[in-house]
Amino acid sequence: MFLKAYLNTSDRQLIERFNTDWSLQYFCGKVLAADQQIRDLTIMTRIRAYIEEHCHWEQIQEVLMDHWKQDVDNSHVLLMDATCYESYVRFPTDPNYSGNAASGCLKSNCSKNVNNWA
């Protein structure tokens, strides 16, 4: 499941890559012989169904917390990401360019005329 999310692949792509990529096989601890391949493309779906049915997430979370507790220095501190993203993003298109140019020229000419009248 980790590799599927990490590699951003479909089930089929992951199985095809696993069959040919020794680094993935070593990572999973299952090295296929040269003449071996996983041919069952539904295996990922069946694995997810098995995990969903048999996994007790609360127990897993406790085990992981106990295992990593010694490596966390400030367990009493909550850190949050405060990254700001620009919310008004426009993509340049021909109508945008011409509209912005016309608007800029109009504002520029209007301000000059108002200053000349005063």
Side-chain angles (χ1 to χ4, degrees):
M1 299 305 115
F2 170 79
L3 287 175
K4 181 175 169 41
Y6 180 75
L7 298 172
N8 193 24
T9 61
S10 67
D11 288 350
R12 176 183 288 271
Q13 290 169 330
L14 182 62
I15 296 299
E16 288 172 356
R17 182 161 174 192
F18 185 87
N19 283 333
T20 59
D21 190 339
W22 288 9
S23 63
L24 293 183
Q25 295 174 17
Y26 280 115
F27 179 81
C28 295
K30 176 63 178 158
V31 179
L32 300 175
D35 61 340
Q36 285 183 317
Q37 281 192 342
I38 298 175
R39 299 190 194 283
D40 182 8
L41 298 178
T42 64
I43 192 168
M44 297 298 291
T45 304
R46 290 188 293 117
I47 289 171
R48 279 193 294 274
Y50 180 85
I51 290 173
E52 180 181 359
E53 184 177 337
H54 294 92
C55 189
H56 303 286
W57 293 109
E58 292 80 15
Q59 292 175 352
I60 290 175
Q61 194 172 22
E62 287 178 20
V63 168
L64 291 175
M65 285 189 313
D66 289 341
H67 180 76
W68 288 101
K69 189 181 286 187
Q70 64 192 9
D71 296 319
V72 178
D73 294 330
N74 298 315
S75 61
H76 62 285
V77 176
L78 173 65
L79 297 175
M80 299 178 76
D81 185 4
T83 305
C84 296
Y85 295 97
E86 193 171 336
S87 60
Y88 185 68
V89 177
R90 295 183 343 164
F91 296 98
T93 60
D94 291 340
N96 283 350
Y97 284 134
S98 59
N100 290 341
S103 175
C105 289
L106 185 61
K107 286 179 185 175
S108 174
N109 286 335
C110 287
S111 66
K112 286 180 185 175
N113 290 337
V114 169
N115 291 335
N116 290 337
W117 292 337

